[in-house]
Amino acid sequence: MKITRLLQASAIIGVAAITLAGCAGGSGGGDATAGSTESTTMKLALNQTQEHPSFLALEAFGEELSEATEGRWNIEVYPDSQLGDQAEYIQSVSDGVIDLAIVSAPQLENVNDDFVVFSLPTVFDSIDHQMTVLGDDEVVGDVYASLEESNNITVVGGLTQGARSIYLKDRIAQTPDDLAGKKIRVQESPVFISMINALGASPTPMAFSEVYTGLQSGVIDGAENNEISYFTQKHYEVAPFFSFTRHLIGADFLISNTDTLAKMSEADRAAFDEGWANAWQEHTDLWTTQTEEAIAGAEEGGAAFEEVDSEAFVEALTPLLDEFITTDSQQTLYDAIRATAE
Ligand code: GCU
């Protein structure tokens, strides 16, 4: 983590401690129930900018929640990795230092390897299919609750990351052969490392917030992500060749400290769930329009987008299904997801 962000993060956590001390000395001493005047502000950690659909939808979620609970429950979104990187969010949410965070599926894969299924190529047919699955309690209910006892983390729900594609500093990659010898940044997880190896390139695990400087300094030759992050993180400035490999549709998850959720009254929890459902819808709607705007914006900034042999990429990655679906619970989840495909 960069020093400035580390300082920012400690400053924020310091302020939170003062607020908590204030609360403990106050009247309520814990339960924020209907009728109580106690107010709790939950910190939500996000590694995206304030233009990203996740920030916009989650800010709206916070406003709706404050209104519906008459200020008993509030959400303060900290964008731009101000509270650190996603790998740290899991521990912070588990410890209750942060109440809420958005983390990518590969981060949860490091805690429960069932989550790997959400990052495999061809598991989702489309964003629509993915959204149906991530909201279907029958399919995902068990895996979302799987970290409650072990880690004190509840998965509230999932958001799309859209299709992920590869971008490079020096060329369009028409086929996996064009990646030979290239160092490609990956999220810190076994499946993403194997993915880049399977394409014949060299994976470099790195936090999202470090990718811009990694590309700029030449530590990496390229990365893979969706169009919106490519644009909002300004990666196009330093890696202007975007190949539509669409090798998988990624998933993000909203995670919460389980004890925090348990402190809500039934009515406040219902307001939380409704606010989240609306945020999820807003995010999904924004995704399509912002993807088009991101492409136009990056093109204006000098980036080139090209359709390539995406089947060749997906085909090279098919062996990952056998490599990563190795347990009964992974197979059950995979089969349940595929059973919902049209
Ligand atoms: C996407 C995703 C983030 C993730 C990032 C990454 O932008 O929405 O949650 O951190 O990819 O590649 O690290």
Side-chain angles (χ1 to χ4, degrees):
M1 194 198 301
K2 286 190 219 83
I3 301 277
T4 42
R5 280 216 335 282
L6 190 60
L7 290 175
Q8 262 176 330
S10 359
I12 291 162
I13 288 164
V15 169
I18 292 163
T19 315
L20 277 178
C23 270
S27 54
D31 273 10
T33 48
S36 149
T37 53
E38 191 173 325
S39 166
T40 304
T41 297
M42 297 180 280
K43 287 197 279 301
L44 191 160
L46 180 67
N47 65 357
Q48 307 286 356
T49 68
Q50 297 189 32
E51 291 78 43
H52 192 277
S54 298
F55 179 83
L56 299 172
L58 293 164
E59 273 277 289
F61 177 22
E63 281 163 27
E64 191 180 327
L65 182 66
S66 300
E67 201 172 310
T69 63
E70 294 168 340
R72 285 186 297 281
W73 289 95
N74 311 286
I75 295 173
E76 174 110 45
V77 185
Y78 291 89
D80 294 319
S81 304
Q82 286 174 43
L83 298 183
D85 292 309
Q86 285 190 348
E88 300 155 273
Y89 295 170
I90 302 214
Q91 192 60 47
S92 301
V93 169
S94 175
D95 294 344
V97 176
I98 297 171
D99 303 288
L100 300 161
I102 294 287
V103 293
S104 191
Q107 303 292 346
L108 291 173
E109 172 196 337
N110 294 324
V111 191
N112 171 0
D113 63 11
D114 285 353
F115 280 91
V116 76
V117 175
F118 298 113
S119 297
L120 291 171
T122 70
V123 70
F124 299 120
D125 290 352
S126 62
I127 294 180
D128 280 351
H129 174 223
Q130 183 191 39
M131 290 299 96
T132 309
V133 167
L134 298 187
D136 184 340
D137 205 40
E138 298 250 309
V139 180
V140 295
D142 286 349
V143 70
Y144 281 8
S146 66
L147 307 177
E148 291 182 345
E149 278 195 13
S150 52
N151 298 76
N152 197 26
I153 290 175
T154 298
V155 177
V156 177
L159 296 173
T160 194
Q161 295 179 0
R164 296 180 73 103
S165 288
I166 292 177
Y167 44 94
L168 298 173
K169 282 173 74 101
D170 67 343
R171 64 172 299 170
I172 289 289
Q174 296 291 348
T175 69
D177 289 347
D178 295 337
L179 297 177
K182 301 269 188 222
K183 288 185 283 302
I184 307 293
R185 177 268 172 171
V186 289
Q187 298 177 83
E188 309 95 318
S189 92
V191 73
F192 275 83
I193 291 171
S194 287
M195 203 174 291
I196 294 304
N197 280 326
L199 293 174
S202 165
T204 305
M206 187 183 280
F208 186 52
S209 64
E210 313 287 347
V211 178
Y212 185 96
T213 40
L215 289 165
Q216 194 179 36
S217 66
V219 168
I220 46 175
D221 304 307
E224 52 86 50
N225 220 309
N226 56 61
E227 298 86 343
I228 298 177
S229 286
Y230 179 61
F231 179 58
T232 53
Q233 295 293 314
K234 300 196 174 16
H235 293 171
Y236 65 92
E237 292 179 353
V238 279
F241 296 93
F242 191 103
S243 312
F244 282 116
T245 55
R246 299 191 184 94
H247 47 276
L248 65 99
I249 299 177
D252 275 335
F253 294 96
L254 175 66
I255 58 170
S256 172
N257 178 278
T258 304
D259 290 343
T260 303
L261 290 181
K263 285 183 191 142
M264 292 180 184
S265 68
E266 214 173 293
D268 288 349
R269 178 61 203 262
F272 179 89
D273 290 344
E274 194 181 330
W276 163 250
N278 292 337
W280 175 88
Q281 188 61 57
E282 180 175 348
H283 183 276
T284 309
D285 293 345
L286 280 173
W287 197 266
T288 315
T289 47
Q290 278 216 15
T291 297
E292 284 162 21
E293 286 166 19
I295 294 172
E299 275 176 344
E300 224 168 89
F305 290 81
E306 224 177 285
E307 291 297 336
V308 297
D309 189 356
S310 62
E311 271 177 33
F313 286 88
V314 172
E315 204 176 300
L317 297 179
T318 308
L320 292 179
L321 291 171
D322 282 342
E323 190 186 336
F324 282 91
I325 303 184
T326 55
T327 67
D328 288 349
S329 55
Q330 289 167 337
Q331 188 69 52
T332 304
L333 180 59
Y334 177 79
D335 290 345
I337 294 177
R338 292 309 305 159
T340 61
E342 297 204 338

